[in-house]
Every structure is written in C-alpha cells, then in structure tokens.
Amino acid sequence: MAARLDGHLAIVTGALGQLGPVWMGALEDNGARAIGLDIAAGDGTIQADVTDRASLEAAFAAVEAEHGAPTVLVNNAGIDQPPGPAETSLFEEIGLDAFRQTLDVNLVGTFNACQVIGAAMARAGRGSIVNIGSLYASVAPDPGFYDHLGLDPPFLKPPAYGASKAGVVNLTRYLARLWGPKGVRVNALSPGGVAGGQDPEFVRKYAGRTPLGRLAEPAELAGPLVFLASDESSYLTGHDLRVDGGFTA
C-alpha cells in the first residue's frame, strides 16, 4: 500500500527553490496540505527568512492561526553555487563572509526552523521532520567534475556547502534522540546529483562515477520524501536516507 498523508499539514521551507516544488508537489499529491515558506514570497507561499527567528515565528503563527498545528516539517531552505565563472577563487582566497552565509542559511536556518516549528510539534507529541541534506554531507566533491570548464582559478564546489550539510545531518541525529520520546521523528534526505540543465560534460563525468549511470530526475525524490514524512517510516528516526544512485556505495 502506497504511503499517504491524508489529514497532515506540512510546512516546507525554501518552497520556491530548485527542489521546493518537488517537495510541495509530493506532499500534496499524497493527500497533505502543504504550506510553503520562502524568503521571496509568491506563488501562494508565506514570506519567511530562516536566518531570522522573528520572521519564522511570525510566519508560523500565521500558519497555525489559519490551518492549525503542522505534523510534517521539511527543512529545504538553502543556498548553493552552481558551476560557472561568476565567482571562482583559490581555496585560500575564499571569503569568510561567503562561507558564513552558506552556514547561516543551510545549517543555522535548519536549526531555527526546528526550534520554532519542530519544538511546537514536540510539544504536541506528534510529527515527522525531514531535513534536506546532500550527497556532499558524506563525501567530498571531485574537482575533476569541473576542470573541463577551463576557468582560472578553477571552479570549486564551495567548501561551506558540504560542511553545512554535514552539520544538518548531525543535527538530525541530535534531534531524533531528543524528540523521539516525544513522538517526533527526525530524518535527513540527502539527494545526489539531480538533473537540472547541467552541461553535458559534467553529466558524463558524474554519470560515470555513479553505479546507476545517471543523475536523478527530480520526480525520483518524491517517493523517498513521502516515505520519511508518512507513517510508512514509523520506526525510522535519526537516519540519513541517501538518494544518490549508489554514488556513496
């Protein structure tokens, strides 16, 4: 029997980002009422900045007042840098402000949302939190994936990205142990590379490193999210579910 989320209210942060619509659609297609939060309000979402606790509290209060208490939280808000010439530098020249900004959104933002929304779920004694991690929470990016771009300095996947996502996965474990006795499960979903218009040479290199021989299609992430959010995973908490085509095998 397929997982269903009928009667559940879900909040998704970063709802207008690259994967936000995937999570929103997966939840709604399986019966949940999904409310999106995003720093740029629009398309039915509520404006909220995950790095600003007061902003989150105001958005959460508005959701509760209109829809009641949530039972699912998807912490998706984050920033990443796609390959390209806009900002390339040697490792030793990477600015501390840029490093901190990534940590602030990806890790501190998840922490803030868990404090504001997750803690309310724990008080209510029910819920499932899914923190969006990454393949790069577990392994380091291969600079060779980008050397064909011919940039000087070469493109480097920002080191703060993997560091922040590794922090998200460990925070997931922390909260799973803390809130399990209160009826709230906390898991991470860590996608590998997801098809999204990458250049063909990158796709060839990445696919050659992956046992399944390709990037994920966005729709292939929907099932794992619904599984973690629903009662189909009722005895699963503190887990990092890597949906990476076997990249980390």
Side-chain angles (χ1 to χ4, degrees):
M1 181 177 177
R4 291 290 300 177
L5 291 163
D6 299 288
H8 285 269
L9 175 66
I11 294 178
V12 179
T13 69
L16 300 180
Q18 181 183 2
L19 292 178
V22 174
W23 312 136
M24 293 284 289
L27 294 164
E28 291 173 342
D29 289 347
N30 286 274
R33 174 68 186 269
I35 307 296
L37 307 183
D38 200 278
I39 193 169
D43 197 25
T45 64
I46 298 173
Q47 195 280 329
D49 179 353
V50 295
T51 68
D52 181 344
R53 184 183 174 103
S55 171
L56 269 178
E57 288 174 339
F60 180 52
V63 171
E64 277 199 308
E66 185 170 353
H67 304 288
T71 51
V72 176
L73 168 63
V74 180
N75 281 310
N76 172 70
I79 57 175
D80 190 11
Q81 180 184 343
E87 292 185 27
T88 63
S89 61
L90 299 173
F91 173 81
E92 58 268 29
E93 296 171 351
I94 294 172
L96 192 55
D97 286 346
F99 190 90
R100 283 176 170 156
Q101 182 187 25
T102 300
L103 290 178
D104 200 30
V105 176
N106 295 5
L107 178 55
V108 178
T110 298
F111 175 79
N112 281 339
C114 286
Q115 277 199 322
V116 172
I117 305 169
M121 294 164 68
R123 288 193 296 270
R126 179 188 180 198
S128 176
I129 298 173
V130 183
N131 296 324
I132 304 303
S134 169
L135 163 72
Y136 291 136
S138 302
V139 297
D142 183 350
F145 284 169
Y146 312 105
D147 58 10
H148 64 279
L149 296 173
L151 301 174
D152 186 19
F155 175 81
L156 294 175
K157 188 75 173 178
Y161 181 77
S164 67
K165 291 299 187 179
V168 166
V169 170
N170 199 268
L171 179 63
T172 297
R173 298 187 185 108
Y174 180 96
L175 293 174
R177 188 163 285 280
L178 180 69
W179 286 340
K182 298 182 181 297
V184 176
R185 298 182 298 107
V186 189
N187 293 289
L189 194 166
S190 289
V194 181
Q198 295 92 338
D199 72 87
E201 183 62 11
F202 169 85
V203 172
R204 184 191 69 79
K205 291 177 179 179
Y206 186 93
R209 172 66 175 76
T210 307
L212 291 186
R214 60 182 178 84
L215 281 77
E217 293 299 324
E220 292 179 297
L221 303 177
L225 176 78
V226 173
F227 168 69
L228 291 178
S230 75
D231 290 340
E232 292 296 303
S233 59
S234 59
Y235 197 62
L236 189 68
T237 195
H239 183 66
D240 179 22
L241 179 57
R242 301 176 193 166
V243 186
D244 64 2
F247 193 104
T248 56

